[in-house]
Amino acid sequence: MTKAEKSKPGNTAKKNATKGKKPTVDSSLFPVIGIGASAGGLEAMELFLKNVPERSGMAYVMIQHLDPTQKGMLPELLQRITPMKVFQAKDSMVVSPNCVYVIPPNKSMSILGGKLYLFQPLQKRGLRLPIDFFLRSLADDCKERSIGLVLSGMGSDGSIGLRAIKEANGIVLVQDPNSAEYDSMPRSAIDSVLADIVAPPQELSEKLLEFFKHIPLVKSNLEVEVKDDQSSLEKIIVLLRSYTGNDFSQYKKSTMYRRIERRMGVHKIGKIATYVNLLQENPKEGEILFKELMIGVTNFFRDSKVWEKMEQETIPALIDKQQENTVLRAWVPGCSSGEEAYSLAIVFKEALAKINPRKNISLQIFATDLDADAVEVARKGHYSANIEADVSSKRLSTYFAKSEEEGYRVTSEIREMVVFAQHNLIMHPPFINIDIISCRNLLIYLGSDLQKKILGLFYFSLNNDGIMVLGSSETLGTMGNHFEPADNNLKIYKRATNAVAPDLLNFPSSFSRAKPPPKEKPKTVTSHSNIQTLADQLLLQQFTPPGVLVNDDGDILYINGRTGKYLEPAAGKANLNIFPMLRDGLRQEFHLAFRQVLEKKESQILHNLKVGTNGNTQTLNINIQYIDKPEPLRGNLLVIFTDVPDVVDVKPQPKPRGKTAKSNRETELEKELQYSREKMQSTLEEMQTSQEELKSTNEELQSANEELQSTNEELTSSKEEMQSLNEELQTLNAELLAKVEDYTRVDNDMKNLLNSTDIATLFLDKDLNIRRFTIQATKIFKLIKSDIGRPFTDLVSDLDYPEIAEDAQEVLRTLVFIEKQIPGKDGKWFSIRLMPYRTFDDRIDGLVITFIDISELKRVEEHCKDTFQTQSFLLNKSTDIIIKLSPDWKVEEYNPEAEKFFGVKRENAINQDFLQMFVAEPRQSKTKQLLKNLVNNLQDGRLKTEVI
């Protein structure tokens, strides 16, 4: 057996079986496939299992969203499809290859050490994620032998579990969404992880077996080839650097090998040199390999004990050392899709709320990753509903908001604490003055030299007493002197104060993607166009009035000319909105005119407005124009300021005479002032009333908004529960449909069986109403289909059996069957049997009456009876001595002549032993020798007659 054959799935189990020993339970000996499905998944499961060979060497575990109140029928339905044994999982059940295991209803299931364990679900109905729960345990237990498959279903259950399997170097399969009855689960899985195989369910089994058989051959060849041809691996690194701008030369070689193996297995390539050629000819393959290397599996509050320690001790101790108005800085390198960074922000908020310091301390988190797509997902802060498995309901309600896209979105309070950026830890400068670094499950993929460099960077980036958190599988290595353990078990460290700073090695500045040189654009500007442009600019500067271009909210988009006399920056935070920048005297009229222009889309001109500038008063006109053309400026407004010169009236005015003119002028001014005061007072009162009404209305709207929000949350929760219930009902409906098909098939078989026996049968209920009848029964009773449900006693038959109703009642009362032979009116005879109708649960639910035609039997019986009477007559009248013997020499018939001859009465001879009675001691000596000879001949077989 070759090395590749030894590594094939199932060979180990087969070897043990041939020795007659029970296989050792070890999940690493054979692959275990976790299959998740929801609504519409039964058909997909059947299509998948129908094409799985009986001896595939793998174990299959089916996880489905089942109704917790109904008994599961899935094992029975799947057993019809596959020759493998199908079991409903039990607690501590050992997983064996070539078997199918089905999760029971109202249970969560995991795997550990090759055994299945059942748990009572903690989440309420509608929030359970059994597929993710099992697949994550499968990844932890089976590692690279774990296989995850997601089939048809609603929601996103299974996506996180597939990512965990991918991180463990397992195989990920997804049903093609176009072939799924419900494509939500397959699409969510494809969006969250790079699937190895995407195909319709009937093709997945064949593709999986081909892929799995090819992997050992690739692995053995790759190990040999890399030793002999190191340049091929280096070429792959160079091509990746060219395609993606990232250097993987210092990544762990084992990680590189596993990912390259995976891609070679997908393409069925056995030589690494061939894969180099494929990679060189297909840049898209380079992007896929880059995605394989960038697999970042994370989730909210991963390793919960670490976060509890951070919340209860680490962060409070760090806050106590800070001064007032301090902004702490945190760095999360390798943040992937952002769960780690948001978890840190939430934990900091909770720790801050518990100690409630009065120092006004906040946290700024810098989350970076090499994968631009992952950073984009993190920026959006939107996650699927399956984060409910990792985030408590309290945290969900506090730090997340329900999304219209059937998921959760991080609240703005947490989102504003985190800044996401694409950052290469190897090539780009590190962040500095950092108080917390959370780098988990990144260093394990890097070589020891690169780990040392990065830990040196972290030492450089951290402040004194700064905190560094590593993953559970990561260590400090040779950098142990530069960090002090705060909790060695949880991998939480502090920056050592007395350590010697490590030598910072040079890092490349960057690697950029290969781009073609830019083409020179032809010059299209002529000297004439240059003169025109310069002239237009000169005219705009010298003769165009000052103005501003604003949008419909008043935000200034462009300023032309000197507008300092009309606009001035408002005090406080910088603001380029025109309303707070207007000088005194312009605001009220301008605001009204601005709104009218927006409503009517017509220009408005404000005349002779007074504005104070530099201690003087300036009169101006303001022209507000709505812009309809050109298209890029449509919907904006143009505000033009035009100064109005003060007109001096040179015409001589007659001087007022004396005190009369002066008093008249004062009177007019006093009236005007009084009128203005009254108008202003009235306006103030109206404004105050309107303000109170608006305030009251605002409070009512706020209260209504809170009620609507509460109602919306309740409706959302109800929607989730209804959706989950719908999925369970879909599954139950599919099972019931399959069961109905089985019952229909059985009913057809029974119908054909009853018709083939040619026995008339009636099925009655307890009230003797007709429930069903066979075709043969219509020859005895005048039955049609509409007679079903009618009383049996109303039927007219050809039987001479008037007491049939009384016998039926007697059978129901005593539960003892009755059998009779009844003649018919047309000369026929029937053997009628009345039996109680028993259900599967041994309950009496009516009667079964069978009618067997025994007319021919009766005719034979009459003929035999006539023949017997004739034989008896001849026997009695014959003058010969006649004795009929049985095979054991018993006397059966004995005529009067024999009675006379032997002197033994007939009643004494019947059933007696002929040899003892007549041969041993015969009554007539003259016949003694004759009888002996006759007996000898009979015993020797020379005489075959039984009648003497």
Side-chain angles (χ1 to χ4, degrees):
M1 184 180 292
T2 63
K3 183 178 180 180
E5 289 172 341
K6 289 180 181 179
S7 61
K8 286 184 180 180
N11 281 339
T12 305
K14 191 183 296 184
K15 184 177 180 181
N16 291 337
T18 57
K19 293 181 179 180
K21 296 180 180 180
K22 188 176 181 180
T24 304
V25 178
D26 188 348
S27 59
S28 65
L29 296 180
F30 56 88
V32 179
I33 306 178
I35 303 173
S38 181
L42 178 60
E43 181 183 1
M45 284 182 175
E46 292 178 343
L47 291 174
F48 174 77
L49 287 179
K50 188 180 293 184
N51 295 276
V52 175
E54 183 177 1
R55 304 294 298 176
S56 64
M58 308 181 193
Y60 303 83
V61 183
M62 302 290 184
I63 311 296
Q64 199 173 20
H65 294 166
L66 301 173
D67 186 349
T69 62
Q70 298 290 332
K71 180 183 177 182
M73 296 182 288
L74 192 58
E76 302 173 13
L77 300 176
L78 295 181
Q79 189 64 79
R80 307 173 312 169
I81 304 300
T82 175
M84 297 183 291
K85 292 184 178 179
V86 181
F87 303 95
Q88 188 168 69
K90 297 180 181 178
D91 198 29
S92 301
M93 176 177 277
V94 178
V95 176
S96 301
N98 307 314
C99 295
V100 181
Y101 302 90
V102 178
I103 185 174
N106 201 29
K107 295 290 182 182
S108 294
M109 186 164 67
S110 68
I111 183 170
L112 178 65
K115 294 183 179 180
L116 299 175
Y117 293 93
L118 304 180
F119 301 90
Q120 197 68 27
L122 298 178
Q123 299 85 358
K124 65 178 183 179
R125 187 176 179 182
L127 300 176
R128 299 173 185 173
L129 302 170
I131 302 174
D132 273 330
F133 186 79
F134 179 78
L135 293 183
R136 289 163 76 171
S137 69
L138 178 63
D140 293 336
D141 190 57
C142 297
K143 304 298 180 184
E144 61 183 13
R145 293 289 183 175
S146 60
I147 303 174
L149 170 58
V150 168
L151 299 174
S152 170
M154 294 187 289
S156 59
D157 193 8
S159 300
I160 293 179
L162 290 184
R163 291 172 65 183
I165 289 177
K166 194 72 172 180
E167 184 188 27
N169 203 37
I171 301 173
V172 172
L173 294 82
V174 180
Q175 180 181 356
D176 186 352
N178 296 326
S179 67
E181 186 175 352
Y182 296 90
D183 61 356
S184 297
M185 277 175 51
R187 291 193 184 279
S188 176
I190 293 173
D191 292 341
S192 63
V193 70
L194 184 64
D196 296 305
I197 300 174
V198 178
Q202 61 269 24
E203 300 177 11
L204 284 170
S205 173
E206 181 181 357
K207 291 181 180 293
L208 173 63
L209 291 175
E210 290 180 2
F211 179 86
F212 210 85
K213 290 176 181 178
H214 197 72
I215 283 294
L217 180 61
V218 172
K219 186 173 182 179
S220 60
N221 290 343
L222 188 62
E223 291 174 351
V224 175
E225 282 189 80
V226 170
K227 292 179 181 178
D228 298 338
D229 187 9
Q230 184 68 25
S231 63
S232 294
L233 181 62
E234 294 173 353
K235 288 177 183 177
I236 292 176
I237 294 173
V238 170
L239 289 172
L240 283 175
R241 188 173 66 184
S242 174
Y243 293 150
T244 66
N246 298 296
D247 185 14
F248 291 90
S249 60
Q250 299 189 62
Y251 268 52
K252 274 189 178 178
K253 295 298 183 287
S254 58
T255 303
M256 295 285 293
Y257 293 158
R258 287 198 301 267
R259 305 310 182 196
I260 293 172
E261 285 170 13
R262 180 64 53 80
R263 297 309 304 166
M264 291 174 64
V266 170
H267 293 289
K268 301 177 184 176
I269 296 174
K271 300 287 185 180
I272 189 172
T274 308
Y275 183 71
V276 172
N277 294 333
L278 173 67
L279 195 62
Q280 191 172 4
E281 296 171 359
N282 189 358
K284 189 174 181 180
E285 175 64 23
E287 296 179 3
I288 296 175
L289 182 58
F290 171 73
K291 291 291 185 184
E292 285 275 4
L293 293 168
M294 287 294 100
I295 292 172
V297 178
T298 183
N299 51 275
F300 284 96
F301 305 102
R302 190 176 189 177
D303 299 331
S304 57
K305 292 183 179 179
V306 175
W307 295 109
E308 291 174 5
K309 179 78 173 181
M310 293 283 287
E311 179 185 353
Q312 296 172 5
E313 298 181 19
T314 307
I315 293 178
L318 188 62
I319 292 175
D320 289 339
K321 300 176 183 179
Q322 307 304 318
Q323 299 179 355
E324 293 185 2
N325 301 320
T326 301
V327 178
L328 295 174
R329 292 161 60 88
W331 182 17
V332 183
C335 68
S336 188
S337 48
E339 289 92 334
E340 185 87 10
Y342 289 129
S343 298
L344 178 58
I346 292 171
V347 167
F348 181 84
K349 278 284 185 184
E350 291 177 343
L352 200 64
K354 286 182 179 179
I355 60 178
N356 193 21
R358 299 180 180 179
K359 299 179 180 180
N360 191 21
I361 296 175
S362 59
L363 176 67
Q364 179 69 66
I365 302 174
F366 302 97
T368 62
D369 197 273
L370 185 60
D371 189 353
D373 294 336
V375 171
E376 187 62 28
V377 172
R379 284 196 182 115
K380 292 179 181 178
H382 180 268
Y383 299 95
S384 58
N386 53 14
I387 66 171
E388 295 165 350
D390 302 310
V391 185
S392 65
S393 56
K394 182 180 179 181
R395 282 173 171 165
L396 280 174
S397 61
T398 306
Y399 303 109
F400 294 86
K402 274 289 185 181
S403 170
E404 297 178 356
E405 304 171 8
E406 297 184 355
Y408 292 94
R409 189 177 297 277
V410 179
T411 59
S412 58
E413 178 187 16
I414 299 299
R415 176 65 187 84
E416 291 171 358
M417 294 175 62
V418 189
V419 176
F420 291 99
Q422 186 180 6
H423 179 271
N424 192 322
L425 195 58
I426 304 173
M427 303 177 186
H428 297 157
F431 292 84
I432 59 173
N433 298 327
I434 300 298
D435 298 288
I436 302 173
I437 291 179
S438 178
C439 181
R440 309 172 71 201
N441 299 311
L442 172 63
L443 299 180
I444 56 175
Y445 299 112
L446 309 179
S448 57
D449 293 339
L450 188 54
Q451 288 183 14
K452 181 178 178 181
K453 293 178 184 180
I454 291 177
L455 288 172
L457 277 181
F458 291 165
Y459 179 85
F460 173 76
S461 299
L462 282 172
N463 293 328
N464 291 331
D465 296 327
I467 302 299
M468 181 177 69
V469 185
L470 298 181
S472 57
S473 302
E474 297 171 340
T475 60
L476 294 176
T478 59
M479 297 295 293
N481 295 330
H482 296 80
F483 297 93
E484 299 174 354
D487 192 316
N488 220 357
N489 293 330
L490 299 179
K491 302 300 176 67
I492 302 176
Y493 303 95
K494 290 183 179 180
R495 186 182 191 270
T497 55
N498 299 325
V500 178
D503 296 332
L504 294 180
L505 302 178
N506 292 328
F507 288 86
S509 58
S510 67
F511 290 101
S512 59
R513 295 173 181 260
K515 294 183 179 180
K519 297 181 179 180
E520 294 185 0
K521 295 182 179 180
K523 296 182 179 181
T524 57
V525 181
T526 63
S527 59
H528 296 289
S529 61
N530 288 338
I531 294 175
Q532 180 181 355
T533 302
L534 294 174
D536 290 342
Q537 292 178 358
L538 183 61
L539 291 171
L540 285 172
Q541 293 174 2
Q542 297 294 328
F543 301 101
T544 302
V548 292
L549 180 68
V550 300
N551 60 16
D552 55 357
D553 292 326
D555 297 327
I556 298 176
L557 306 177
Y558 178 77
I559 300 176
N560 178 63
R562 304 179 67 177
T563 58
K565 292 192 297 183
Y566 326 108
L567 305 175
E568 63 178 351
K573 186 178 179 181
N575 189 356
L576 280 180
N577 190 280
I578 194 172
F579 295 109
M581 293 180 66
L582 289 169
R583 290 183 178 271
D584 294 338
L586 303 179
R587 295 175 182 172
Q588 184 175 358
E589 291 82 354
F590 181 85
H591 183 82
L592 296 175
F594 191 90
R595 293 303 166 197
Q596 289 178 2
V597 171
L598 286 177
E599 292 174 1
K600 299 179 180 179
K601 295 182 174 52
E602 296 178 353
S603 298
Q604 291 281 342
I605 301 177
L606 301 176
H607 295 280
N608 300 324
L609 298 178
K610 300 288 186 179
V611 60
T613 56
N614 299 326
N616 297 324
T617 301
Q618 174 68 44
T619 304
L620 72 153
N621 296 337
I622 300 179
N623 185 358
I624 307 174
Q625 298 181 2
Y626 182 84
I627 300 176
D628 192 32
K629 294 180 181 180
E631 185 64 30
L633 298 180
R634 180 191 294 272
N636 296 323
L637 285 78
L638 184 63
V639 181
I640 301 172
F641 302 97
T642 306
D643 290 341
V644 177
D646 294 332
V647 180
V648 180
D649 191 0
V650 297
K651 184 177 180 180
Q653 297 292 335
K655 296 182 180 180
R657 298 180 179 179
K659 295 181 179 180
T660 304
K662 184 177 180 180
S663 60
N664 290 338
R665 180 61 177 167
E666 289 177 353
T667 303
E668 291 176 1
L669 291 174
E670 289 176 356
K671 288 181 179 180
E672 185 177 353
L673 178 61
Q674 181 66 24
Y675 174 75
S676 299
R677 287 177 176 174
E678 291 176 355
K679 185 176 181 181
M680 184 177 66
Q681 183 65 27
S682 176
T683 304
L684 288 174
E685 291 175 355
E686 292 177 359
M687 184 185 301
Q688 186 175 2
T689 303
S690 300
Q691 186 177 5
E692 291 176 354
E693 292 177 354
L694 288 173
K695 186 176 181 181
S696 175
T697 304
N698 185 41
E699 291 176 353
E700 293 176 359
L701 290 174
Q702 187 174 359
S703 175
N705 184 42
E706 291 176 354
E707 293 177 1
L708 289 174
Q709 186 175 357
S710 175
T711 304
N712 184 42
E713 291 175 356
E714 293 175 0
L715 290 174
T716 303
S717 177
S718 300
K719 178 186 175 184
E720 290 176 355
E721 294 179 3
M722 291 299 294
Q723 181 177 345
S724 175
L725 181 61
N726 185 34
E727 293 179 13
E728 295 169 358
L729 290 176
Q730 289 277 357
T731 303
L732 182 61
N733 184 45
E735 294 179 353
L736 290 175
L737 285 175
K739 209 68 175 177
V740 166
E741 292 177 0
D742 288 346
Y743 287 142
T744 302
R745 193 179 299 109
V746 171
D747 184 64
N748 292 333
D749 294 343
M750 292 300 297
K751 184 177 180 180
N752 283 276
L753 175 64
L754 291 174
N755 291 334
S756 65
T757 57
D758 203 25
I759 297 175
T761 308
L762 278 177
F763 297 91
L764 309 179
D765 59 16
K766 289 182 178 181
D767 298 326
L768 301 184
N769 296 324
I770 298 174
R771 180 182 291 166
R772 183 180 294 184
F773 57 85
T774 60
I775 297 176
Q776 291 77 8
T778 59
K779 299 176 182 179
I780 302 173
F781 300 92
K782 309 304 180 184
L783 290 168
I784 57 177
K785 288 185 178 180
S786 59
D787 288 331
I788 294 177
R790 289 182 56 193
F792 168 70
T793 53
D794 293 351
L795 297 179
V796 177
S797 69
D798 295 334
L799 299 175
D800 187 10
Y801 192 8
E803 64 274 11
I804 187 171
E806 289 80 2
D807 287 348
Q809 293 290 351
E810 181 68 14
V811 171
L812 284 176
R813 186 181 65 82
T814 62
L815 303 182
V816 178
F817 73 90
I818 295 177
E819 186 173 8
K820 292 183 178 181
Q821 294 182 355
I822 302 298
K825 296 178 180 179
D826 53 355
K828 290 185 177 181
W829 281 80
F830 295 91
S831 175
I832 302 177
R833 189 181 180 94
L834 293 86
M835 299 171 290
Y837 183 98
R838 294 182 182 271
T839 61
F840 282 111
D841 53 356
D842 200 23
R843 182 172 53 86
I844 304 301
D845 196 27
L847 286 177
V848 179
I849 306 177
T850 59
F851 304 86
I852 302 175
D853 190 349
I854 57 172
S855 302
E856 187 66 24
L857 183 63
K858 277 293 183 181
R859 284 194 293 271
V860 172
E861 184 180 349
E862 290 294 331
H863 176 70
C864 291
K865 186 176 181 181
D866 294 341
T867 303
F868 179 77
Q869 291 176 352
T870 302
Q871 289 178 350
S872 298
F873 176 78
L874 293 174
L875 191 67
N876 293 327
K877 297 299 182 181
S878 176
T879 59
D880 296 329
I881 299 171
I882 300 174
I883 303 172
K884 183 178 180 182
L885 303 178
S886 66
D888 56 349
W889 298 92
K890 299 288 185 182
V891 178
E892 291 182 353
E893 292 295 338
Y894 190 70
N895 70 343
E897 291 297 327
E899 181 177 343
K900 294 176 182 179
F901 179 79
F902 288 105
V904 179
K905 292 185 177 181
R906 184 177 183 276
E907 55 268 20
N908 296 331
I910 295 300
N911 292 329
Q912 296 299 318
D913 191 319
F914 173 75
L915 296 177
Q916 293 180 359
M917 180 172 289
F918 300 110
V919 177
E921 295 294 335
R923 299 293 183 270
Q924 301 291 337
S925 58
K926 60 182 179 180
T927 61
K928 181 178 181 180
Q929 188 62 37
L930 179 63
L931 289 174
K932 286 184 177 181
N933 293 336
L934 178 63
V935 170
N936 291 334
N937 290 335
L938 287 173
Q939 291 178 340
D940 293 341
R942 288 175 295 196
L943 189 63
K944 299 299 182 181
T945 182
E946 295 179 354
V947 180
I948 303 174

